[in-house]
Amino acid sequence: MNDPMNVNAPARQDPPPRERLTRPRWRVRRYTTGQRVNHWIIALTFVMLALSGLALFHPAFFWLTHLFGGGPWTRILHPFIGVLMFVCFFVFALRMMGDNKLVKADRQWLGRMGDVLNNREDRLPEVGKYNAGQKLLFYALIVSMIMLLLTGIVMWREYFSFYFPIWLIRLASLLHAFFAFVLICAIIVHIYAAIWVKGSVGAMVRGTVSPGWAWKHHRAWFRQAPKEPVRK
């Protein structure tokens, strides 16, 4: 043991500054590059569909058609963008389905909503990759997407609407607007939750989270998640 009063004692050897800065830290892989690219394509197409859909929904929003080159182009592009978003979401949902199965712990999580809203995560059951709220949102998105696709096909005048009676086209128009509203509300909740839980947005940008974040918010998933050293 070195005597601090002994001037001849060897000094404590600290790692050089460069070594300290480049020392690898462990991160937890949450999303692959393909999943993140797919997610942001869905996000971009959703914004485009929301704006063009509002422009077609009511004359008060018709000015939004200027973002797409005018009314005719808005009407042309909207369904094609919708098909692109559905295909990307379908691929994304298939890859996420296994992690979104409802289990017994999810019912317990939903029964303790007061602790959820007050951020008392120590009182909640251990959570897998997604909590019960995220899973319910996932299924709400699936239902909304399917209904928007089906009603959109019925309304698509250029290719399909002439196969259907007028009463069905009118019903499809009402249902399309309703599920578009549900989808917009669900995405607002999704964005709010991502901002509320600090680090969630970064996970979809970088693909990794810190071990502390994973342990705090998704402990059951953390025990099995792949971990990798990264250099900062």
Side-chain angles (χ1 to χ4, degrees):
M1 180 175 181
N2 294 333
D3 184 355
M5 302 301 294
N6 184 358
V7 296
N8 295 319
R12 182 172 60 88
Q13 297 295 320
D14 290 329
R18 180 176 295 277
E19 181 181 341
R20 290 201 302 270
L21 290 174
T22 59
R23 183 177 295 170
R25 295 183 180 181
W26 289 100
R27 302 283 292 181
V28 185
R29 172 64 58 185
R30 188 157 176 83
Y31 299 109
T32 65
T33 301
Q35 290 171 330
R36 301 198 312 274
V37 170
N38 199 344
H39 172 274
W40 291 115
I41 291 175
I42 296 170
L44 177 61
T45 53
F46 167 78
V47 171
M48 297 175 69
L49 286 167
L51 294 175
S52 58
L54 286 172
L56 297 172
F57 176 72
H58 195 276
F61 300 109
F62 187 77
W63 59 272
L64 291 171
T65 60
H66 295 298
L67 299 173
F68 302 91
W73 272 111
T74 302
R75 185 174 293 278
I76 292 170
L77 292 174
H78 182 83
F80 285 104
I81 298 172
V83 171
L84 174 61
M85 183 178 75
F86 180 85
V87 171
C88 292
F89 179 81
F90 181 76
V91 174
F92 190 79
L94 282 179
R95 300 186 68 177
M96 299 293 181
M97 188 65 73
D99 294 315
N100 280 279
K101 293 179 180 178
L102 291 170
V103 296
K104 182 179 180 180
D106 293 323
R107 292 192 292 271
Q108 298 172 352
W109 190 93
L110 290 171
R112 300 178 183 178
M113 193 54 61
D115 293 327
V116 173
L117 296 177
N118 288 284
N119 204 28
R120 294 191 291 260
E121 297 192 47
D122 56 306
R123 301 184 182 181
L124 298 173
E126 289 191 359
V127 173
K129 190 170 185 178
Y130 302 106
N131 60 45
Q134 291 172 308
K135 291 177 181 180
L136 292 179
L137 182 65
F138 176 76
Y139 291 114
L141 292 174
I142 289 177
V143 172
S144 297
M145 289 282 191
I146 292 175
M147 292 305 298
L148 286 169
L149 176 71
L150 295 178
T151 55
I153 289 175
V154 174
M155 297 164 55
W156 201 343
R157 294 182 180 275
E158 185 67 25
Y159 299 104
F160 303 106
S161 65
F162 50 82
Y163 290 113
F164 305 99
I166 188 64
W167 67 265
L168 185 58
I169 297 174
R170 291 171 178 170
L171 177 61
S173 300
L174 291 174
L175 291 176
H176 197 81
F178 172 76
F179 282 103
F181 175 77
V182 172
L183 181 63
I184 290 173
C185 290
I187 295 298
I188 291 174
V189 171
H190 174 63
I191 294 172
Y192 177 79
I195 296 173
W196 181 29
V197 180
K198 186 178 179 181
S200 298
V201 177
M204 190 53 76
V205 173
R206 296 186 302 269
T208 60
V209 295
S210 68
W213 186 95
W215 178 259
K216 179 180 180 181
H217 300 297
H218 300 273
R219 191 166 300 182
W221 167 73
F222 173 74
R223 301 181 194 279
Q224 309 174 36
K227 303 165 185 68
E228 56 190 50
V230 297
R231 293 185 178 273
K232 293 189 175 182

